[in-house]
Amino acid sequence: MAEENLSVVLHAQGDLRLEHRPVPEPGPNDVLLQMHSVGICGSDVHYWQSGRCGDFVVKEPMVLGHEASGRVVEVGSAVKHLKVGDRVAIEPGVPREMDEFFKNGKYNLSPTIFFCATPPDDGNLCRYYKHSANFCYKLPDNVTFEEGALIEPLSVGIHACRRAGVTLGSTVLICGAGPIGLVCLLVAKTMGASQVIITDLFPERLKMAKELGADFEVTVTRGDKPLQLAKAVQDKLGAQPHITLECTGVESCIQTAIYATRPGGVVALVGVAPEMVTVPLVNAAQREVDIRGIFRYCNTWPMAIAMLASGKVNVKPLVTHRFPLEQAAQAFETTRQGIGIKVMLKCDKNDQNA
């Protein structure tokens, strides 16, 4: 095994560096992974550009990356279900303690959870990375490394659709056709949504949404009023949707989501919004529209792997750009500019395939 461990490290706002770090030693319950594919998430870019994401602030150098897959190169002494050579997808959130959230199956809400690339925890955008073996999932032979990395955003879609109650016959509005909006579309369709309508500013993203199965698309222009957009959604769909998945975090889009959803329906807030937003809360209350928060995911990797292995969900079209790890700066800039959908970094210099 090579001694060098090239890593993408954020030192401070705007200060992104490639540097060599030691190859980590796995503990008894860990595996050491040779990383293969790591997707760049909007949160990675946010840390780079702003030095923070919500309440999480970068105070010391941090390795970025949490949408990841790799190959096992060493196993801890207590690990029984994985072996050297296994291809795995990584769930980046690992509970540090068996608290009430862990016991209730909602470990994503544990305030002490370890989460890749969330200060102060390092991520896995590097050559070699160690992780809890219990949160590494073996990939079937017909699921690629890139698909394995995309299980992380796909899991956001699964968790959002579960929380929102998407089921057979649901009509669904998705606000935003970025990577998260598109995986929500894929999952909603797989879970039985009869019609999905999606909105976005960019026609090329709506084109991708149509190719992935959206029934209707609404092009948003800056300055559109929330009530106006809600009416446009209703006109296209023929009725107000049962469920809205808000994937932008933009205040006006959250307002649109509430206005657009039918009485008795559900609005799930998936996108990361500012701490304070103004919303028509009384409108929602008087129409019994439930507003549900979404925070990451839990208990989703097995379902996601089954979706991919069965061919029920195809995430491959989401990857529009690929860069070797050495070109991380260019990859981050491509993501920042909103070019394409998902940018993937290839960490294994001897295997740059999907």
Side-chain angles (χ1 to χ4, degrees):
M1 186 175 65
E3 291 300 320
E4 57 94 9
N5 185 21
L6 191 66
S7 305
V8 179
V9 183
L10 180 67
H11 282 253
Q13 179 180 352
D15 185 2
L16 191 66
R17 307 181 197 176
L18 274 171
E19 59 188 43
H20 292 291
R21 289 196 161 194
V23 175
E25 290 285 337
N29 297 300
D30 300 330
V31 288
L32 179 64
L33 302 170
Q34 182 177 21
M35 300 305 299
H36 188 283
S37 296
V38 181
I40 299 178
C41 175
S43 65
D44 293 317
V45 174
H46 213 74
Y47 282 122
W48 169 43
Q49 292 289 287
S50 305
R52 66 185 301 154
C53 191
D55 292 335
F56 299 104
V57 180
V58 176
K59 296 179 179 178
E60 56 188 44
M62 177 181 77
V63 179
L64 291 172
H66 62 267
E67 302 178 1
S69 64
R71 190 186 306 275
V72 177
V73 292
E74 189 177 339
V75 296
S77 58
V79 177
K80 305 299 182 188
H81 69 288
L82 293 173
K83 64 182 186 303
V84 172
D86 282 346
R87 301 161 56 253
V88 299
I90 301 166
E91 181 173 358
V94 180
R96 282 189 167 97
E97 57 183 315
M98 193 178 291
D99 57 14
E100 62 177 299
F101 302 101
F102 185 100
K103 293 175 183 177
N104 289 329
K106 297 181 178 180
Y107 55 85
N108 59 310
L109 301 180
S110 174
T112 62
I113 195 169
F114 167 91
F115 198 90
C116 294
T118 297
D121 302 327
D122 282 325
N124 44 37
L125 196 41
C126 49
R127 295 267 196 243
Y128 294 97
Y129 170 74
K130 76 168 181 179
H131 199 68
S132 168
N134 287 325
F135 287 80
C136 293
Y137 299 82
K138 188 174 178 180
L139 293 173
D141 291 342
N142 67 333
V143 177
T144 67
F145 278 115
E146 286 190 354
E147 289 176 291
L150 288 168
I151 288 174
E152 196 278 342
L154 184 62
S155 285
V156 176
I158 292 171
H159 188 58
C161 287
R162 279 178 176 172
R163 287 267 298 154
V166 176
T167 188
L168 198 63
S170 299
T171 54
V172 179
L173 164 63
I174 297 174
C175 299
I180 295 301
L182 294 175
V183 293
C184 284
L185 161 65
L186 289 169
V187 174
K189 278 292 191 175
T190 305
M191 288 185 171
S194 58
Q195 291 183 309
V196 177
I197 182 168
I198 191 164
T199 66
D200 202 275
L201 285 165
F202 303 106
E204 61 272 19
R205 289 190 168 184
L206 293 176
K207 181 175 181 290
M208 173 71 78
K210 186 173 182 63
E211 292 169 358
L212 293 177
D215 299 284
F216 304 100
E217 307 86 43
V218 174
T219 303
V220 179
T221 57
R222 299 188 191 278
D224 283 347
K225 302 298 182 185
L227 279 169
Q228 172 190 347
L229 282 172
K231 180 67 164 56
V233 168
Q234 183 174 355
D235 289 346
K236 279 219 172 185
L237 197 57
Q240 292 178 303
H242 298 108
I243 292 165
T244 298
L245 305 175
E246 204 301 301
C247 299
T248 71
V250 175
E251 182 179 82
S252 62
C253 294
I254 298 172
Q255 295 168 356
T256 297
I258 292 172
Y259 286 133
T261 306
R262 73 174 57 187
V266 174
V267 173
L269 301 180
V270 189
V272 178
E275 182 179 4
M276 299 294 289
V277 293
T278 300
V279 296
L281 191 60
V282 174
N283 177 285
Q286 291 180 343
R287 297 188 303 117
E288 295 191 1
V289 172
D290 292 348
I291 300 173
R292 299 179 187 173
I294 306 297
F295 186 64
R296 297 173 181 160
Y297 34 66
C298 57
N299 306 304
T300 55
W301 257 251
M303 176 184 280
I305 289 171
M307 285 178 165
L308 295 173
S310 67
K312 298 291 186 185
V313 169
N314 180 17
V315 294
K316 291 178 181 177
L318 299 178
V319 181
T320 54
H321 294 76
R322 296 171 178 86
F323 295 88
L325 186 60
E326 293 85 348
Q327 294 178 20
Q330 186 179 346
F332 268 78
E333 183 60 27
T334 300
T335 306
R336 186 192 68 79
Q337 292 179 17
I339 300 169
I341 302 295
K342 178 58 66 178
V343 175
M344 194 69 66
L345 277 159
K346 314 303 286 188
C347 301
D348 184 348
K349 59 186 174 184
N350 297 316
D351 181 5
Q352 299 282 297
N353 298 314

